[in-house]
């Protein structure tokens, strides 16, 4: 393995580490609403919920947006990055999810800018300061992956893995799963993550879709909850 490959792998490990300050640990992505409505939920059901989100929400939307943002950034097509940011923000139907995506995205971009000099990333943050973009998390993630020299396939694996870990982490903090069960869920999701990333690599933004109405209703209920452990 050459130095470039090792640098890419280290960048991948850094961004996917729970120590990296993106704020994803504060999101349950609807799991808290499900738990509040049914406290008998099991770790097996948590795995199925994440699988549904990966297949019906995150995979066909955020992942494709992230991969295209990375490709546009790598090609220096900043106008297309801006268009993608607007599209990413517009398809988030749930206000709570939309606002969380913007906060996490800008936090991620600002953090990476502190230790990587990247013209595309700097332009993106300047546009955010002017109010020209929202700072959607999948777009910011793609820009940051590009700045760290991470290829689309590895970025996709990292993106979906990070999502799965954030939901499993929320399940652990709510007492739904034990730590060994949480790790088993993550392990069992690996083939699905590999499949979704492989299928999405060459997809354009015209192929974006999502359909998970029951989950979206639960996410809407979370916005109105009197007591919350998580942002989403």
């Amino acid at each position: 393995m050459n130095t470039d490959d090792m640098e890419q792998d280290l960048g991948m490990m850094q961004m996917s580490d729970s120590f990296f300050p993106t704020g994803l640990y504060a999101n349950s992505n609807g799991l808290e609403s499900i738990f509040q409505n049914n406290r008998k939920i099991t770790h097996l059901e948590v795995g199925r919920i994440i699988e549904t989100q990966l297949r019906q929400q995150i995979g066909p939307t955020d992942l494709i947006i992230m991969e295209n943002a990375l490709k546009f950034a790598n090609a220096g097509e900043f106008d297309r990055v801006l268009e993608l940011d607007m599209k990413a923000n517009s398809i988030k139907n749930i206000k709570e999810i939309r606002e969380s995506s913007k906060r996490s995205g800008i936090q991620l971009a600002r953090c990476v800018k502190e230790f990587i000099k990247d013209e595309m990333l700097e332009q993106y943050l300047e546009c955010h300061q002017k109010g020209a973009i929202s700072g959607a998390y999948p777009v910011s993630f793609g820009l940051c992956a590009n700045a760290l020299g991470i290829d689309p396939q590895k970025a996709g694996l990292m993106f979906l893995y990070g999502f799965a870990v954030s939901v499993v982490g929320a399940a652990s903090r709510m007492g739904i799963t034990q730590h060994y069960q949480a790790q088993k869920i993550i392990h069992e999701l690996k083939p699905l993550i590999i499949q979704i990333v492989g299928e999405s690599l060459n997809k354009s933004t015209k192929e974006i879709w999502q359909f998970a109405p029951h989950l979206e209703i639960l996410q809407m209920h979370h916005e109105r909850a009197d007591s919350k452990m998580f942002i989403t």
Side-chain angles (χ1 to χ4, degrees):
M1 184 179 290
N2 61 38
T3 302
D4 289 342
D5 288 338
M6 288 190 285
E7 284 187 2
Q8 183 177 166
D9 287 346
L10 284 170
M12 181 179 177
M13 286 187 280
Q14 184 178 11
M15 274 187 70
S16 60
D17 196 312
S18 59
F19 182 67
F20 203 86
T22 59
L24 290 182
Y25 68 91
N27 299 323
S28 80
N29 292 283
L31 189 63
E32 185 174 20
S33 288
I34 298 171
F35 178 66
Q36 289 171 342
N37 284 282
N38 180 15
R39 292 183 179 272
K40 294 181 181 179
I41 184 173
T42 68
H43 68 280
L44 296 174
E45 290 169 310
V46 171
R48 289 197 292 269
I49 290 164
I50 298 173
E51 181 179 341
T52 299
Q53 290 175 312
L54 291 175
R55 289 185 186 276
Q56 302 290 118
Q57 285 185 317
I58 306 302
T61 55
D62 288 20
L63 177 63
I64 295 174
I65 288 169
M66 185 280 292
E67 289 171 341
N68 276 275
L70 193 160
K71 292 172 187 176
F72 294 158
N74 189 256
E77 298 176 320
F78 189 67
D79 288 345
R80 298 187 75 181
V81 171
L82 296 184
E83 290 175 10
L84 198 53
D85 182 89
M86 288 187 283
K87 188 165 192 172
N89 191 52
S90 68
I91 63 174
K92 295 290 182 186
N93 299 321
I94 316 302
K95 180 181 178 182
E96 197 174 68
I97 300 290
R98 188 167 60 248
E99 294 302 314
S100 175
S101 174
K102 291 191 284 187
R103 285 193 297 269
S104 294
I106 289 302
Q107 174 73 2
L108 173 64
R110 285 172 177 163
C111 182
V112 172
K113 180 180 175 291
E114 287 296 312
F115 58 87
I116 291 287
K117 184 172 178 59
D118 182 81
E119 184 178 346
M120 191 72 67
L121 196 56
E122 290 177 2
Q123 281 183 273
Y124 187 71
L125 286 168
E126 285 173 7
C127 285
H128 180 262
Q129 288 180 337
K130 296 174 183 176
I133 59 162
S134 67
Y137 181 72
V139 178
S140 294
F141 193 101
L143 292 178
C144 291
N146 178 68
L148 287 165
I150 301 170
D151 67 47
Q153 184 180 65
K154 288 184 176 180
L157 293 172
M158 184 169 57
F159 188 77
L160 294 190
Y161 173 82
F163 173 81
V165 168
S166 72
V167 181
V168 169
S172 294
R173 293 199 293 282
M174 284 185 281
I176 300 170
T177 63
Q178 301 297 321
H179 288 294
Y180 72 89
Q181 292 171 331
Q183 292 301 321
K184 184 179 180 182
I185 291 169
I186 293 169
H187 180 71
E188 290 176 346
L189 286 168
K190 288 176 185 176
L192 177 62
I193 289 173
I194 291 168
Q195 176 193 336
I196 293 173
V197 170
E199 292 172 350
S200 69
L201 283 173
N202 296 315
K203 288 186 176 180
S204 74
T205 55
K206 292 180 181 179
E207 297 176 86
I208 290 171
W209 64 274
Q210 61 178 341
F211 186 75
H214 191 194
L215 278 171
E216 289 195 345
I217 290 168
L218 287 167
Q219 290 164 347
M220 289 176 188
H221 286 169
H222 189 267
E223 291 182 338
R224 296 178 173 83
D226 296 326
S227 178
K228 303 176 186 178
M229 285 177 62
F230 299 91
I231 296 172
T232 67

